Amino acid sequence: MLKKIILFALVGIVILLVGAGAGIFLGGKILKQPKYVTSPERQVEMPGPMVNMGDFTVNLADREPKIVRFKLVLELNSPKALNLFSESGWQSRIKNEVILAMKDRFYDDLRTAEGILEASQDLTRRINAMMPLVDGHAPVKRVLFEEFMLQ
């Protein structure tokens, strides 16, 4: 009987030690701080001037009624490009282009981050195609969604 108690105690201690060792090993791997790139040659692109284009609510191309609501901001390539957007005519044309472009989208296309990124890139191309160049460059660097909701 005493041999069984000693055997169970010994097995319990071994299991406890193995579990503690595994916990320390895995905890060190999981909780390890990530290494971030902090090299001096790393370039961080500063944001350009921003133009708030406002809120949009657009019916999607699906058979069942679905809508997308979003707030749109244009990041510009230069401060000179900001002068173009002071004219309300360009803003109206851009808003029209955004509505037409989003009206051709389907609900399933916009459910993923990849689909939203694709829509953003498409809007950037479409807006730059209709606007004049500023110092030889397209005025819009990227289209950003501040809010995005599908219904």
Side-chain angles (χ1 to χ4, degrees):
M1 184 69 154
L2 185 59
K3 287 183 182 182
K4 285 185 179 180
I5 293 174
I6 292 173
L7 182 63
F8 281 124
L10 196 58
V11 169
I13 291 172
V14 169
I15 291 174
L16 182 66
L17 290 174
V18 169
I24 291 171
F25 177 74
L26 291 176
K29 292 256 186 211
I30 293 171
L31 298 176
K32 188 176 181 181
Q33 293 292 330
K35 293 182 181 177
Y36 296 104
V37 178
T38 58
S39 63
E41 59 273 353
R42 180 174 169 240
Q43 296 291 325
V44 176
E45 182 182 0
M46 297 302 292
M50 303 284 182
V51 175
N52 185 352
M53 296 303 294
D55 299 335
F56 291 82
T57 302
V58 180
N59 292 318
L60 296 173
D62 295 278
R63 284 187 171 190
E64 295 99 34
K66 306 250 187 202
I67 62 170
V68 61
R69 292 181 182 174
F70 55 91
K71 283 187 180 182
L72 197 69
V73 174
L74 305 179
E75 181 181 354
L76 306 180
N77 276 318
S78 70
K80 284 186 179 181
L82 198 54
N83 292 335
L84 280 176
F85 295 93
S86 63
E87 301 174 25
S88 63
W90 282 116
Q91 288 192 16
S92 296
R93 282 185 175 181
I94 291 169
K95 286 179 180 183
N96 183 62
E97 190 68 26
V98 168
I99 291 168
L100 294 175
M102 294 303 283
K103 202 157 189 54
D104 289 339
R105 302 272 175 187
F106 291 93
Y107 180 85
D108 287 338
D109 296 337
L110 299 172
R111 289 182 54 197
T112 64
E114 184 179 314
I116 295 170
L117 180 60
E118 184 181 308
S120 170
Q121 292 168 346
D122 180 44
L123 288 172
T124 302
R125 282 190 299 275
R126 290 175 79 144
I127 292 169
N128 280 331
M130 63 184 276
M131 307 239 0
L133 298 177
V134 176
D135 292 336
H137 299 288
V140 178
K141 186 184 295 186
R142 64 182 56 96
V143 171
L144 306 169
F145 294 105
E146 281 192 335
E147 292 179 10
F148 195 91
M149 183 173 64
L150 290 169
Q151 289 184 337

